[in-house]
Amino acid sequence: MFWYEDEVKRLEQERLKLPYQPKTAFYGSSTITLWESLYHDFQEFSPVNLGFGGSTLSACAWYFDRVFAQFEEINSVIIYAGDNDLSNNRHPEEIFLFLFQLFENIQRRFGLIDCTYISIKPSPQRWYLNEQVKYTNKIIEREIKSRGEQLHFVDIYDQYLDDKHRPDSRFYQNDGLHFNKLGHDLLKTKLVEHLSTLVLQ
């Protein structure tokens, strides 16, 4: 996984850029990394953007200790990753295992804090993986709901489909893979609602 090294080194310095102690960490692949308005969108939750482009869930689990070593007061982690694993020919069951290894890493370091997994999105570029995406989401959601333990599943899949049940191009950049501003704004609405319920608990 040496190709992630420069990105991980960048993240190891992220805490130094912030004038506050982050509480909510956003972790995962380019859906997080390219979210230009993330700090503004979630400012009430004291966010930190710890996404690294092209990352997989296996890489997120592998680099967790390094990326999070500088943080002491995290009380919630939001995770988006998994579609890159599928495009790299990983099986849904492998993604499942990587995610729950990541959950264990988080709770070993921070205790039983809230950990939220965002379902894998449908995208025009990777529509050929759609059945695997749906199956991966299904087995992860089922396990999270059975465990509790402050694990949460936020399902965004249907929100990004058009009336023909295909990926809605309005939400994606021209590459058919990454969210544009409209796509991120839709995700923001869903996550602010979710995070607000966690704060109220």
Side-chain angles (χ1 to χ4, degrees):
M1 295 189 185
F2 63 90
W3 51 87
Y4 296 118
E5 190 63 25
D6 288 344
E7 282 280 85
V8 172
K9 286 179 178 177
R10 174 182 63 81
L11 294 179
E12 287 178 314
Q13 303 300 314
E14 193 67 18
R15 172 66 187 91
L16 302 177
K17 303 175 185 177
L18 301 177
Y20 56 86
Q21 186 68 244
K23 305 291 186 183
T24 304
F26 290 77
Y27 191 44
S29 60
S30 53
T31 293
I32 303 297
T33 313
L34 299 177
W35 198 331
E36 295 180 357
S37 60
L38 187 146
Y39 283 102
H40 175 267
D41 290 344
F42 299 96
Q43 57 185 328
E44 64 186 292
F45 303 104
S46 302
V48 59
N49 187 330
L50 298 176
F52 54 114
S55 64
T56 58
L57 267 172
S58 57
C60 289
W62 179 262
Y63 285 110
F64 172 81
D65 287 334
R66 282 180 60 185
V67 172
F68 282 81
Q70 61 194 306
F71 301 101
E72 300 295 336
E73 299 182 19
I74 297 296
N75 57 29
S76 182
V77 180
I78 308 293
I79 301 160
Y80 183 88
D83 38 10
N84 289 330
D85 300 74
L86 288 175
S87 71
N88 289 340
N89 298 316
R90 294 285 195 180
H91 295 290
E93 291 82 3
E94 292 180 278
I95 297 169
F96 175 99
L97 292 173
F98 293 137
L99 175 62
F100 282 89
Q101 178 60 60
L102 177 56
F103 284 153
E104 289 180 13
N105 292 349
I106 293 168
Q107 294 184 339
R108 183 188 69 247
R109 172 154 177 75
F110 297 110
L112 286 176
I113 67 170
D114 290 301
C115 299
T116 299
Y117 181 71
I118 303 168
S119 67
I120 301 173
K121 66 183 185 293
S123 64
Q125 178 67 25
R126 291 178 176 167
W127 188 240
Y128 68 97
L129 292 170
N130 184 51
E131 290 306 313
Q132 293 180 64
V133 167
K134 291 196 296 184
Y135 179 65
T136 305
N137 286 337
K138 179 180 178 180
I139 61 175
I140 289 173
E141 180 180 21
R142 183 174 58 204
E143 183 66 16
I144 285 176
K145 288 184 175 180
S146 73
R147 290 197 185 194
E149 299 175 355
Q150 292 179 275
L151 304 182
H152 311 279
F153 183 86
V154 171
D155 189 0
I156 66 169
Y157 180 90
D158 287 343
Q159 290 182 281
Y160 290 94
L161 298 178
D162 60 21
D163 56 6
K164 296 181 180 179
H165 302 286
R166 302 274 297 188
D168 192 332
S169 61
R170 292 179 303 157
F171 298 114
Y172 296 86
Q173 296 182 25
N174 291 336
D175 61 9
L177 180 61
H178 299 104
F179 284 151
N180 58 22
K181 186 180 186 304
L182 191 62
H184 275 127
D185 285 347
L186 185 61
L187 183 52
K188 169 199 169 183
T189 299
K190 187 82 169 180
L191 289 179
V192 166
E193 179 182 354
H194 169 66
L195 285 167
S196 296
T197 65
L198 299 184
V199 171
L200 292 173
Q201 290 178 359

